[in-house]
Structure formats: C-alpha cells, structure tokens
Amino acid sequence: MQTFEKPGQPKMSDTVQNVLAARARLGECPVWDRDRQVLFWVDAYNHRIHEFEPETGSDRYFETGDVVSAIALAGNARLLIALSDRLAFLNTETGEITTLHQFAFPYPDTRCNDGKCDSRGRFWIGSISEAPEQAELYRYDPDGSCRVMETGLTISNGLGWSPDERTFYLTDSAKHLIYAYDFEAETGAISNRRVLVDLSVEGVEPDGMTIDREGNLWSALWNGWRVACFNPSGEEVFQIKLPVQRPTSVTFGGANLSELYMTSASVGLSQKEIQQGFYAGDLFRFQSPSAVGIASHHFSG
C-alpha cells in the first residue's frame, strides 16, 4: 500500500462530499459499524446519537436527554455511550438507556468527552474541564472497574493506537498537542508520555482522531478548516480541506474502510462565521486514494 510522503509541504485534497446536511451543533465521535455498513455519530449538545446509512442516505437518531460525547459498538443492537457524567448502554432497537458507571469527577464544571475502545474491549474515555489541567483520562474495563490513566489534562480528546499496539495516542486540544505513550496491550498500561504533534504555533486545536493501517494519524483540526494526516513521526504529510471552520472528528468506513467520514460543529460560531462556513455541522466523506482504516473495536462487557 502506498504511504504518504512529505516532499516539503503536505499534499492536499479538496475532493470532499457533503453526505448529510445535519447542521449539528456539535457533531462528534463517528463510529463505523462494519457488519451493518452504517455510521453512528453524535450531536453532543442536541443530546442525540445518529445512525446514518450511506447506501440510502437515511439518518435516524436516538434522544439521550443529556450531553452525549462518545460511543462504542457493544454487541448486537447495543452501544456503549458516554453521557455528561456516566457511562451507559443504549439499546438501538428500543432506545432504552441503562446506566453502567457513574463518575464522581474531582472538579466542578467537568464532563465526559471523547472515547474509544481498544482491541481488548476496554473503553477509554476522557473528560473536559473548564479549568486548566483538571481533566483526566479513564479506562473502563469489561469487568466494570474504572481507573484513572492520566491526569493534568484540560480537554482530553482524540485517541487511538498504532497498528502494532505498541503506541497509544492522546490529544489535549486546549494545549494544541497530540501525545504518544508506550502501550502494553495485555495490561492496558501506558507510560513514557511525549509530545508527537505540537500545533500551538498555528493556533488550531487537534480534535477527534483515527489511525490508518500504516500507522498514520488523521486528526480533525478545530478552527483549522481541515483534517490533517500525520505520519508516525509526527510530520504532517497530507491534508483535506473542508468548507467548515470546525471539523471535530474522523473515522474510516465503507466496505473497504477506505472512506474517511468527518463530523463538524456549528456551536460558538458568529453569524458571519456561519455564513463563511455555511455547511457547519454537516457530515462529510473523503474517498482515500491509498489509506485504509482499522475496524472499530467493540466493548466486550
């Protein structure tokens, strides 16, 4: 498979489809269900989990009654979901929500944020805090235990694992950083944090992330009007221009996992900014010429 090289400046594509005029306030956490060929995604501030069917263009949603920031596949007709301060199962046939775990966040004005399952079926979920360095990263295991894995964060965001499962990646959007850690797949331990990508000079915030089979990181850049692809060394090697200011998250989907789906947000934009980015909050798709994603892992509890 061809990988992206960096000849000096990142290669660029503006071949993007707007596949759903969702006008979400805060679209987030797209998750591809490979078995059913559908895309689940959330509109966090409208308290909805969406199920989009690309073949027909249909989109239905489930009301959660609370901020919903992250989801993971969890078996037949079931999702694991992160609400403002708890984890729960959503039955996608009945819409019933069953609480699994209640967080007791150590600081006020804190809520759950982005999350994802690893290959062992453990759910990693971060928090977002109004105060600097008061957010944390948690790991919720299939046996119902929950432990703090990282502290001192402000907006714990996009996360993922290298294809060989030796490296874990975590984004702190407020610091404009993507970190890399050593990862032990069997135990779920992380260590040796270092900065992989630093976007502080540019001033954009890395948001949701996905990893392709070659180990490249695809990160949605909040206020950056694009999705950027970074190689495992942290160099930007490719970018996808978007007609929206605030892309929020990305995942690979499609029959061959070669289609990149991208969510976006309209929240916090002025009227002038919305006019400049009329499609804010919509769902987009990019057909990758060479990159292929990794199938979403399921929660095994």
Side-chain angles (χ1 to χ4, degrees), residues 80-82 85-89 98-101 103 123 125 140:
L80 175 64
I81 67 175
D85 61 354
R86 60 192 170 108
L87 302 179
F89 281 138
T98 306
T99 297
L100 296 174
H101 178 78
F103 289 100
F123 187 62
I125 179 72
Y140 182 72

Side-chain angles (χ1 to χ4, degrees), residues 78-94:
R78 194 175 70 169
L79 296 175
L80 175 64
I81 67 175
L83 302 170
S84 60
D85 61 354
R86 60 192 170 108
L87 302 179
F89 281 138
L90 168 70
N91 185 312
T92 57
E93 292 180 345
T94 66

Side-chain angles (χ1 to χ4, degrees), residues 11-158:
K11 296 180 182 179
M12 183 177 297
S13 173
D14 55 6
T15 308
V16 173
Q17 285 181 287
N18 185 326
V19 294
L20 183 65
R23 301 299 194 270
R25 292 185 65 202
L26 183 58
E28 280 284 6
C29 199
V31 175
W32 181 253
D33 186 334
R34 197 172 190 181
D35 294 333
R36 296 183 54 224
Q37 293 291 293
V38 298
L39 182 79
F40 290 100
W41 63 281
V42 309
D43 187 350
Y45 289 159
N46 279 329
H47 306 169
R48 291 173 176 172
I49 296 171
H50 289 254
E51 182 182 342
F52 173 65
E53 186 176 319
E55 185 175 348
T56 64
S58 68
D59 183 75
R60 66 167 180 155
Y61 60 83
F62 306 90
E63 299 278 5
T64 62
D66 189 9
V67 172
V68 54
S69 61
I71 51 179
L73 304 174
N76 185 40
R78 194 175 70 169
L79 296 175
L80 175 64
I81 67 175
L83 302 170
S84 60
D85 61 354
R86 60 192 170 108
L87 302 179
F89 281 138
L90 168 70
N91 185 312
T92 57
E93 292 180 345
T94 66
E96 179 182 4
I97 294 175
T98 306
T99 297
L100 296 174
H101 178 78
Q102 185 80 43
F103 289 100
F105 292 126
Y107 303 104
D109 300 318
T110 301
R111 66 164 176 83
C112 291
N113 202 40
D114 202 6
K116 191 172 292 183
C117 275
D118 67 19
S119 66
R120 302 305 195 271
R122 300 168 293 222
F123 187 62
W124 297 66
I125 179 72
S127 61
I128 178 172
S129 175
E130 293 294 327
E133 301 186 355
Q134 292 186 353
E136 298 174 326
L137 174 71
Y138 304 87
R139 197 188 78 208
Y140 182 72
D141 288 2
D143 63 6
S145 62
C146 187
R147 65 199 71 197
V148 177
M149 302 301 294
E150 183 63 290
T151 60
L153 306 169
T154 301
I155 302 178
S156 178
N157 223 323

